[in-house]
Amino acid sequence: MHPRIEDYALIGDEQTAALVGRDGSVDWLCLPRFDSAACFAKLLGDKDNGHWRIAPKHTKGPCTRRAYRPDTLVLDTEWETAEGAIRVTDLMPQRDRSPDLVRIVEGLSGRVTVRSSLRLRFDYGSIVPWVRKSRGHRVAVAGPDSVWLRSEPAVPTWGEDFGTHSEFTVEAGERVAFVLTWHPSHEPRPPLVDPYKALHASIRDWQKWVSRCNYAGPYRDAVVRSLITLKALTYRPTGGIVAAVTTSLPEEIGGVRNWDYRYCWLRDSTLTLNVGLSAGYRAEAEAWRDWLLRAVAGDPADLQIMYGLAGERRLPEFEVPWLSGFAGSAPVRIGNEAVEQLQLDVYGEVMDTLALARDAGLPSKPHIWAIQAALIDWLNEQWRQPDEGLWEVRGGRRHFVHSKVMVWVAADRAVRTLEMNQTLEGDLAGWREFRDEVHREVCEKGFDAERNTFTQYYGSRELDAALLLMPRVGFLPPDDPRVIGTIDAIRAELSHDGFLRRYSQETSVDGLPGGEGTFLACSFWLAEALHMTGRTQEARELFDRLVRLANDVGLLSEEYDPVADRQLGNFPQAFSHIGLVNTALALFGGDGAG
C-alpha cells in the first residue's frame, strides 16, 4: 500500500528539509534548498525515483514506534524484531556551508542485522548519478550535484541495482552513523561533520530555542511542535518561510489539484508575525518583516502574492511527466503560475503586517513608510477591479468579498498609522474617504440580507470561509449581527463533519475538476471566530478535535478528509500550524501566554 501523508515526519536544517516515513525511508529531500530539485522523490513516484531506507534487514513494514526528542527536530524511529531492537536517529544539523543528513543506528537489545539501501536520483528522480569510491566515501556525481556518503565505523557497502547498499549487525549499545553530504560538483569535498557532536549540538540548540517560548497554557506540546515546525520551514539566510516543504501532494487522492508550495506567500504575513511576537520569538518576527520589505520593494503594481526564498519573482510552472504522483495523483508540478495572479488582499496583509510590527516596537527602517504610502496610493486607484482572490482560483476574476475587506484593512492601517504619528506624510483625508467607500461597497454588494450573510463575491450566493476573518481584522465588531449570521451560514453550508471547506465545490469558481478535503486553517479560523462571538466552549471543543488530527509526531498537512480519515495537501503546512498557534493564543493566551 502507498504510504499516507501522515506517515511522514520532518527533519531539516532551516534551509531544506527531508520527510522520513514510518518504514525508515527518506522519501523526499531537495538539496541544497527547499526549492531545489529533489534527490529523493519516491514520495511522488516509486523507489526508482530516489529514497534512502535504513531498517532491520527482514522488516518491510512500519516501525514499532517513533517520536521526536523532546522539544527538538531530532527524530527517533525504533523497531522491535525477533532478533532484538534498534533505534535510528535522524537529523539535519545546522550547516556551516553544505547540507548534511545524519542517520545514527543504535542497538537497543539482542543482535539485529540492519540494511541501508540508498538510491540517489537527481533532478526529481530522473538522473542516475555516477558513483565511485574515494577516501572511504561513496561519491555520487551528476551535472552540478555531488553527494558524499560515509559511515562511522565503516561497514560493508556495495553497489547493486543502481543503488548503494550496506549491511551490518548491531548489539545493545553499539552505534553506526551514516552521513550524507551534498555540495556543488565543481567544488572540493566539504569538511567532515562529526555525527555524534552534531546530534548533541542539535538537541541542545533546539531545546534552547524552545525555552524562549512564553506560552504555558493548555495544549502546550502541540503549540511547541507547531512553533518548531514553523522554525523548520524558515529559510534561515533570508528569514522567509515556505508554505510547505513539498510539491504536488494532492488535495484529492487521484485528482489534479496538486501545487508547488515551496515558496513564501504574503498571505501568511500578518498571522506569521503575530505568532512570532506573541509566542516570544521577536528576532524571528523581525527577520520575517525584513524579508517582506525586501520582497515587496519596487513598483506597487508589481507586487506578487508569493516569492522565492530570497525574494525571487520568477517561479514558472511546469509538469514533471516521469513522476506518477502521490498515490497516482498527477500531474506533478514544479513552480507555481499563481504567482502571476492579481490578489488584492495581499496589499491588506502587507499593510497589516507592517502596522503590527510598528505597534509591537520592532526597529523601524526609514523606507518602510515610503513603501506603505506607495502601496496605498496604488491600491486607491486600482481596488475596484476584480481579482483571483485569496484561494488563487483559476476560473476567472471576480469581486471577491475577502479581497475587498483586505483592501479596507490596507486603508484602515494607513489611516491609523497617520493618526498616531503626525510626523509621517500622507493624504489622511483622502485615505479616510477611500477606507469608508470600500466599507460601504462591501456592506452593500457583498452582503446577502435575505440570508444574513456575507458572500464569496459580489452578487453570489456562495460562501467563503475567509469571511470568518472579518471580525479578526476589525472590519466589523464580533457582536455585529451580520458577523454572527456569516459565521452561522458558513458552519451550515461549508461544514463537513464539523470541519470547514474553503468554499463550495459545486461551482465553477476555481475552474478545476474534482474536489478537495476540509481546509484546516479555515477550521482554526472558525474556532477563533466562535470564541470572539462568545461561544468559547464550542470553540475549544473544535480546537481539541483539530489538534487531534495531527499525526503521531504532531504534524499537520493542508487539508483533512473526514471520510477516509486521512490528511491531504502539501505537508507539513505552515498555514495549518500558524492557525493552531494563533487559535491557542486566542483561546488560552490569557491563561499562559506572556
Side-chain angles (χ1 to χ4, degrees):
M1 293 181 62
H2 198 281
R4 289 179 166 224
I5 291 170
E6 56 266 36
D7 287 338
Y8 289 96
L10 173 77
I11 58 173
D13 65 358
E14 296 180 64
Q15 295 191 47
T16 191
L19 296 183
V20 187
R22 294 179 190 267
D23 61 351
S25 180
V26 181
D27 289 349
W28 182 255
L29 175 61
C30 300
L31 293 172
R33 306 193 334 171
F34 292 111
D35 57 352
S36 300
C39 64
F40 298 145
K42 181 185 174 187
L43 180 73
L44 301 177
D46 57 36
K47 66 179 184 178
D48 289 327
N49 297 124
H51 76 292
W52 184 12
R53 183 170 191 251
I54 298 179
K57 179 180 179 181
H58 301 296
T59 301
K60 294 184 178 180
C63 62
T64 305
R65 68 183 68 87
R66 65 177 181 173
Y68 287 112
R69 300 282 177 98
D71 292 346
T72 77
L73 201 65
V74 175
L75 179 70
D76 287 329
T77 305
E78 297 181 3
W79 285 265
E80 293 179 358
T81 73
E83 298 175 289
I86 68 165
R87 174 190 299 129
V88 176
T89 299
D90 290 318
L91 65 143
M92 294 189 72
Q94 289 290 338
R95 68 177 80 168
D96 290 327
R97 199 175 72 198
S98 299
D100 299 286
L101 171 55
V102 175
R103 314 196 73 187
I104 300 173
V105 182
E106 181 179 2
L108 301 179
S109 66
R111 180 180 175 85
V112 181
T113 302
V114 180
R115 186 178 178 98
S116 166
S117 295
L118 169 68
R119 284 185 172 85
L120 283 160
R121 299 292 186 268
F122 297 124
D123 192 30
Y124 299 104
S126 67
I127 298 176
V128 180
W130 181 263
V131 181
R132 60 182 173 84
K133 298 179 183 179
S134 176
R135 293 178 287 172
H137 288 72
R138 299 283 170 157
V139 184
V141 177
D145 298 296
S146 179
V147 167
W148 295 63
L149 173 71
R150 78 178 197 278
S151 66
E152 294 184 7
V155 296
T157 300
W158 69 96
E160 179 184 333
D161 191 26
F162 298 103
T164 300
H165 307 275
S166 302
E167 194 170 297
F168 54 95
T169 59
V170 289
E171 298 181 0
E174 293 182 340
R175 296 191 296 183
V176 175
F178 291 87
V179 181
L180 184 147
T181 303
W182 178 95
H183 71 98
S185 58
H186 64 278
E187 295 182 359
R189 185 195 70 188
L192 301 182
V193 169
D194 183 312
Y196 302 108
K197 289 183 179 178
L199 172 61
H200 293 308
S202 292
I203 293 172
R204 179 196 67 226
D205 292 347
W206 276 110
Q207 292 179 344
K208 181 179 179 181
W209 185 82
V210 168
S211 70
R212 292 164 47 198
C213 176
N214 61 16
Y215 179 80
Y219 301 93
R220 187 177 189 278
D221 288 346
V223 169
V224 166
R225 179 51 52 193
S226 291
L227 290 169
I228 290 173
T229 302
L230 293 171
K231 179 70 168 172
L233 296 176
T234 301
Y235 185 62
R236 177 185 283 261
T238 66
I241 301 177
V242 296
V245 304
T246 56
T247 179
S248 300
L249 289 185
E251 297 174 13
E252 178 185 44
I253 299 299
V256 301
R257 298 168 184 258
N258 316 320
W259 316 110
D260 194 344
Y261 274 20
R262 298 171 300 157
Y263 308 111
C264 307
W265 266 258
L266 299 189
R267 72 181 183 203
D268 303 354
S269 57
T270 306
L271 299 174
T272 302
L273 196 76
N274 185 67
V275 163
L277 292 173
S278 299
Y281 293 101
R282 192 177 181 88
E284 287 77 5
E286 185 176 350
W288 170 248
R289 190 276 311 266
D290 291 348
W291 175 90
L292 182 68
L293 288 170
R294 293 190 300 272
V296 305
D299 188 337
D302 296 331
L303 188 72
Q304 298 183 176
I305 65 168
M306 74 180 88
Y307 296 85
L309 306 178
E312 297 91 345
R313 291 173 173 263
R314 299 193 185 279
L315 310 173
E317 181 179 308
F318 60 94
E319 297 179 4
V320 178
W322 59 85
L323 291 176
S324 58
F326 183 89
S329 305
V332 171
R333 294 182 173 95
I334 307 302
N336 199 315
E337 71 177 18
V339 72
E340 300 175 2
Q341 290 187 352
L342 174 67
Q343 295 180 23
L344 293 173
D345 65 289
V346 299
Y347 291 86
E349 283 143 8
V350 170
M351 293 293 290
D352 198 21
T353 300
L354 298 180
L356 176 61
R358 183 179 288 107
D359 292 345
L362 290 186
S364 185
K365 296 179 182 293
H367 61 286
I368 294 179
W369 180 246
I371 291 175
Q372 290 183 269
L375 290 175
I376 203 68
D377 282 338
W378 183 90
L379 191 59
N380 194 4
E381 297 293 327
Q382 302 294 329
W383 71 273
R384 293 175 182 83
Q385 59 184 308
D387 71 340
E388 276 89 1
L390 171 73
W391 304 124
E392 301 166 9
V393 299
R394 302 194 179 195
R397 293 182 177 181
R398 288 172 168 81
H399 290 284
F400 287 102
V401 173
H402 175 263
S403 294
K404 306 300 187 187
V405 168
M406 294 308 294
V407 168
W408 175 88
V409 168
D412 178 71
R413 302 315 187 252
V415 168
R416 286 168 45 189
T417 300
L418 276 184
E419 290 174 341
M420 294 172 60
N421 193 334
Q422 301 294 325
T423 64
L424 298 176
E425 295 183 0
D427 181 7
L428 182 57
W431 293 348
R432 280 179 179 151
E433 183 179 347
F434 167 31
R435 178 186 64 179
D436 295 344
E437 182 183 358
V438 176
H439 199 280
R440 284 193 301 270
E441 180 175 295
V442 170
C443 292
E444 292 172 3
K445 297 183 178 180
F447 185 72
D448 184 341
E450 178 183 342
R451 293 189 296 154
N452 189 35
T453 181
F454 286 92
T455 59
Q456 185 177 34
Y457 56 92
Y458 290 174
S460 74
R461 292 185 59 83
E462 288 78 26
L463 302 180
D464 189 328
L467 300 171
L468 294 168
L469 295 173
M470 295 176 79
R472 191 184 203 281
V473 300
F475 184 83
L476 288 172
D479 60 355
D480 189 292
R482 292 167 293 182
V483 169
I484 296 172
T486 300
I487 295 171
D488 291 342
I490 288 172
R491 289 181 83 185
E493 297 188 25
L494 298 184
S495 178
H496 186 184
D497 194 30
F499 306 116
L500 291 187
R501 297 184 175 93
R502 294 184 292 178
Y503 47 82
S504 173
Q505 298 296 298
E506 285 72 47
T507 70
S508 61
V509 169
D510 61 20
L512 296 165
E516 62 182 30
T518 59
F519 203 82
L520 295 180
C522 296
S523 299
F524 282 115
W525 296 345
L526 174 60
E528 191 169 349
L530 289 171
H531 171 63
M532 293 182 73
T533 53
R535 291 173 277 186
T536 298
Q537 184 58 37
E538 292 179 64
R540 291 184 173 184
E541 291 171 358
L542 175 56
F543 181 78
D544 182 76
R545 291 189 67 202
L546 286 164
V547 171
R548 294 176 186 274
L549 296 182
N551 71 358
D552 60 312
V553 290
L555 301 181
L556 292 167
S557 64
E558 181 181 32
E559 301 180 8
Y560 171 69
D561 181 349
V563 176
D565 186 22
R566 65 184 298 169
Q567 296 191 23
L568 295 170
N570 284 302
F571 176 87
Q573 175 71 215
F575 221 27
S576 298
H577 286 282
I578 290 168
L580 189 154
V581 178
N582 271 319
T583 306
L585 290 168
L587 294 178
F588 310 108
D591 302 330

